[in-house]
Amino acid sequence: MPDQAVVPQLRVLITRQQIAERVAEMAAQITRDFAGQSIVFVGVLKGASIFLGDLARQVKLDATFDFISVSSYGNANKSSGEVRLNKDVDESMADKNIILVEDILDTGLTLSYLRKVFLAHQPRAFKIAALLDKISRRIEPVHADYTGFTIPDEFVVGYGMDYAERYRNLPDICVLPPDML
Ligand code: IMP
Ligand code: MG
């Protein structure tokens, strides 16, 4: 059954095939960049979980996983810029090659906060892998070292990303129309 049948208002923006091809390219680049070294994938819960799983399985390096959880004060659509760390990493980040895995780089407020937190731990390397980049929304000057797709300023769900915790399990990345927000 096509997934659109579940929620007919959703419009597919990036198909599962396009995601798979791009994630494979990103994984190949990470494999080249860190050849001969170990890396730690740090996923930002919950949105990055599916992306991290797909990406990490194609990276041909010695790797471990860790996860953090953050929330920004404000409501679902508007961030206040204040970020709270709900769950920190379990392992020490000192002298490690960290790849922070995030679903969407939007205003950049979350990642600029996380970048400060991680750099304070003195990793050997710190890179950001973001599946999506809404570049037109940027407030803080953050860029990802590995970017999947640049997308317009629309609210997307699926492939891990939610609206009010729903739609994370859709295999394609879909646009949620404004009247459903
Ligand atoms: P930033 O701090 O504004 O860059 O916010 C980034 C976070 O906002 C992402 O990690 C997502 O959790 C969330 N976010 C931003 N845009 C969307 C969207 O279109 N769909 C789902 N979540 C989004
Ligand atoms: Mg997120």
Side-chain angles (χ1 to χ4, degrees), residues 22-66:
R22 187 71 192 115
V23 170
E25 289 170 2
M26 296 170 85
Q29 196 185 339
I30 292 170
T31 302
R32 283 195 297 273
D33 290 352
F34 289 94
Q37 303 180 62
S38 299
I39 56 174
V40 184
F41 291 105
V42 179
V44 184
L45 293 172
K46 304 170 190 168
S49 56
I50 293 177
F51 173 42
L52 187 149
D54 281 350
L55 182 72
R57 281 182 296 170
Q58 301 205 58
V59 169
K60 313 262 182 292
L61 297 172
D62 180 49
T64 57
F65 288 5
D66 211 327

Side-chain angles (χ1 to χ4, degrees), residues 109-123:
L109 293 165
T110 307
L111 281 179
S112 73
Y113 167 80
L114 288 176
R115 184 173 57 188
K116 275 184 222 131
V117 170
F118 276 87
L119 290 180
H121 287 280
Q122 300 191 296

